[in-house]
């Protein structure tokens, strides 16, 4: 079990599980204790940020050191979403690969090239190493995680256009969609690491400082899911409320707010914009690493609703204010020969730590096909 970024998950070797996908998922669900709101009969933490899975194995493609499959294990249903990529859990793959002997440790920093089987792309994790092991202690703070740790640098530039429809799936930085029960709504869809629809908070009657789902009216929550359905249509995917991808984020101008995790006051001067992510029927308690990258990309692509709010700035550092604090992303946008935007740099910092290892006992009947 690793805490990686602001998430916690179970990390497993692919080869330790049944090769039949259906049987494999039965075993995984039993390990987590799903479906059950408390996940009382398993290792899951009974919330979406702690019901996550990483399957890791030797690389199957040139240019990568390891393979990685991410799974969002549903709490209330016997379902695992393998679409998209979790940017927080992704931060734990490099340390896991080194600690498990899948990658040789090189001091002072080991670059681990990780092939995401979810999206068929490669990203790079830079892991600080000492005496053959990942460094845990350090002074880098991640909003939403108590204390500090050694900084892991994650470069996701290779994970743009994860759905194979381009960085801008509609081909435009902004669109106007007709939302059932609402009418025309302007927004931007960007696909960097994971696809996300960005809309202005004020257009939905929101302040942008909302911290939890209880801060939304029933109508506003329904509207956000209706917007997410538009994302499914754009991606030519069948709508599935249990599928985490695509995401929706509502953004607003910088303003002072309170970090709900610590009660700390955050000045609007310290951020470029506020953003809240609609994630599996609720407001994300912090901010997904993948959507941090997507938001950073949206902030430097001219003409998106995010770059309109932030303004086009010369610095690559994008500062995003979320319910649990601030996350910074380094994002650089260039151009393809045809003039379309091209993400040249997309990185963020995380910390990660192995919490425990051992055996999880699964009932024998879960291994029956």
């Amino acid at each position: 079990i690793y805490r990686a970024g602001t998430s916690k998950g179970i990390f497993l070797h692919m080869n330790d599980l049944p090769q039949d996908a259906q049987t494999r998922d039965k075993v995984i669900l039993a390990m987590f204790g799903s479906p059950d709101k408390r996940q009382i009969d398993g290792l899951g933490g009974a919330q979406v940020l702690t019901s996550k899975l990483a399957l890791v194995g030797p690389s199957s493609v040139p240019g990568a050191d390891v393979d990685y499959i991410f799974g969002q294990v549903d709490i209330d249903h016997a379902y695992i979403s393998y679409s998209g990529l979790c940017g927080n859990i992704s931060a734990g793959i490099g340390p896991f690969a080194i600690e498990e002997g899948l990658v040789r440790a090189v001091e002072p920093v080991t670059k681990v090239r990780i092939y995401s089987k979810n999206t068929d792309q490669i990203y790079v994790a830079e892991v600080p190493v000492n005496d053959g092991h990942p460094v845990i202690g350090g002074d880098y703070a991640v909003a939403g995680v108590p204390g500090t740790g050694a900084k892991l640098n994650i470069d996701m530039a290779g994970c743009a256009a994860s759905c194979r429809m381009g960085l801008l799936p509609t081909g435009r930085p902004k669109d106007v969609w007709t939302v059932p029960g609402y009418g025309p709504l302007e927004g931007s869809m960007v696909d960097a690491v994971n696809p996300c629809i960005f809309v202005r908070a004020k257009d939905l009657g929101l302040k942008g400082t909302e911290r939890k789902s209880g801060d939304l009216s029933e109508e506003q929550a329904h509207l956000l899911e209706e917007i997410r359905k538009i994302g499914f249509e754009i991606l030519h995917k069948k709508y599935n409320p249990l599928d985490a991808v695509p995401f929706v984020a509502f953004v607003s101008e910088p303003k002072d707010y309170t970090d709900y995790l610590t009660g700390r006051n955050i000045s609007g001067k310290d951020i470029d914009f506020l953003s809240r992510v609609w994630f599996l029927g609720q407001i994300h308690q912090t901010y997904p690493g993948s959507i941090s990258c997507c938001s950073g990309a949206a902030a430097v692509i001219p003409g998106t609703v995010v770059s309109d709010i932030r303004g086009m700035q010369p610095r690559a550092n994008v500062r995003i204010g979320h319910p649990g604090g601030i996350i910074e992303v380094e994002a650089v946008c260039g151009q393809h020969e045809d003039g379309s935007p091209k993400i040249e740099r997309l990185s963020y910092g995380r910390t990660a730590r192995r919490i425990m290892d051992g055996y999880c006992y699964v009932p024998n009947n879960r291994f029956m096909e």
Side-chain angles (χ1 to χ4, degrees), residues 2 20 27 42 75 97 114 125 141 162 167 198 272 291 308 310 324 334 341:
Y2 277 73
D20 174 73
V27 171
I75 296 170
I114 301 161
S162 65
L167 183 61
F198 296 92
D272 292 330
I291 303 305
D308 286 351
R310 179 182 183 248

Side-chain angles (χ1 to χ4, degrees), residues 46-125:
Q47 57 170 285
V48 292
L49 300 189
T50 57
S51 190
K52 300 192 175 192
L53 166 76
L55 304 179
V56 187
S59 172
S60 63
V61 299
D65 299 309
V66 292
D67 283 1
Y68 158 48
I69 296 174
F70 166 70
Q72 180 73 51
V73 181
D74 197 271
I75 296 170
D76 299 319
H77 305 84
Y79 182 80
I80 304 172
S81 174
Y82 290 110
S83 68
L85 189 63
C86 174
N88 281 296
I89 291 298
S90 295
I93 305 304
F96 177 84
I98 294 169
E99 290 177 317
E100 293 296 303
L102 294 169
V103 172
R104 183 172 65 88
V106 177
E107 298 184 19
V109 175
T110 301
K111 284 190 175 183
V112 184
R113 295 164 181 82
I114 301 161
Y115 171 57
S116 164
K117 297 192 75 171
N118 296 59
T119 61
D120 188 28
Q121 294 171 313
I122 295 174
Y123 70 93
V124 180

Side-chain angles (χ1 to χ4, degrees), residues 94-298:
F96 177 84
I98 294 169
E99 290 177 317
E100 293 296 303
L102 294 169
V103 172
R104 183 172 65 88
V106 177
E107 298 184 19
V109 175
T110 301
K111 284 190 175 183
V112 184
R113 295 164 181 82
I114 301 161
Y115 171 57
S116 164
K117 297 192 75 171
N118 296 59
T119 61
D120 188 28
Q121 294 171 313
I122 295 174
Y123 70 93
V124 180
E126 297 177 352
V127 184
V129 169
N130 183 47
D131 196 24
H133 298 281
V135 177
I136 304 301
D139 58 4
Y140 188 73
V142 173
V145 179
T148 60
K151 182 180 181 181
L152 301 164
N153 196 61
I154 314 297
D155 187 355
M156 290 281 189
C159 293
S162 65
C163 294
R164 303 299 184 271
M165 294 181 65
L167 183 61
L168 300 173
T170 68
R172 295 171 294 276
K174 274 199 291 278
D175 289 276
V176 177
W177 300 294
T178 300
V179 184
Y182 177 86
L185 176 69
E186 187 175 61
S188 301
M189 189 170 198
V190 179
D191 181 8
V193 186
N194 278 327
C196 182
I197 288 181
F198 296 92
V199 294
R200 299 180 187 88
K202 64 182 180 182
D203 290 346
L204 308 182
L206 296 168
K207 298 177 181 178
T209 55
E210 289 78 7
R211 301 183 299 177
K212 57 186 185 301
S213 299
D215 295 335
L216 304 176
S217 68
E218 186 175 334
E219 291 77 13
Q220 288 167 333
H222 177 74
L223 175 58
L224 286 165
E225 193 62 21
E226 288 297 314
I227 296 169
R228 204 166 82 89
K229 288 180 182 179
I230 292 172
F232 278 89
E233 292 177 7
I234 293 170
L235 299 175
H236 308 297
K237 290 178 64 175
K238 182 180 179 181
Y239 173 67
N240 180 354
L242 303 181
D243 190 339
V245 177
F247 294 75
V248 173
F250 53 95
V251 296
S252 61
E253 291 75 11
K255 62 187 76 172
D256 298 347
Y257 71 102
T258 302
D259 167 1
Y260 91 100
L261 292 173
T262 65
R264 173 173 67 103
N265 292 324
I266 295 176
S267 171
K269 296 178 181 178
D270 295 331
I271 60 177
D272 292 330
F273 57 92
L274 282 166
S275 187
R276 303 294 189 258
V277 168
W278 180 249
F279 175 67
L280 294 176
Q282 58 191 285
I283 293 178
H284 198 287
Q285 294 173 330
T286 53
Y287 211 72
S290 63
I291 303 305
S292 300
C293 290
C294 195
S295 301

Side-chain angles (χ1 to χ4, degrees), residues 317-365:
N317 190 38
V318 179
R319 305 168 302 172
I320 305 164
H322 61 78
I326 303 171
I327 186 168
E328 297 186 4
V329 177
E330 183 183 356
V332 176
C333 181
Q335 286 187 341
H336 291 285
E337 291 183 1
D338 63 1
S340 61
K342 174 185 178 183
I343 295 300
E344 297 176 344
R345 175 76 176 174
L346 196 58
S347 65
Y348 61 104
R350 298 278 87 177
T351 62
R353 180 176 82 84
R354 181 180 293 216
I355 294 174
M356 65 82 65
D357 55 33
Y359 295 93
C360 179
Y361 293 88
V362 176
N364 287 335
N365 62 7

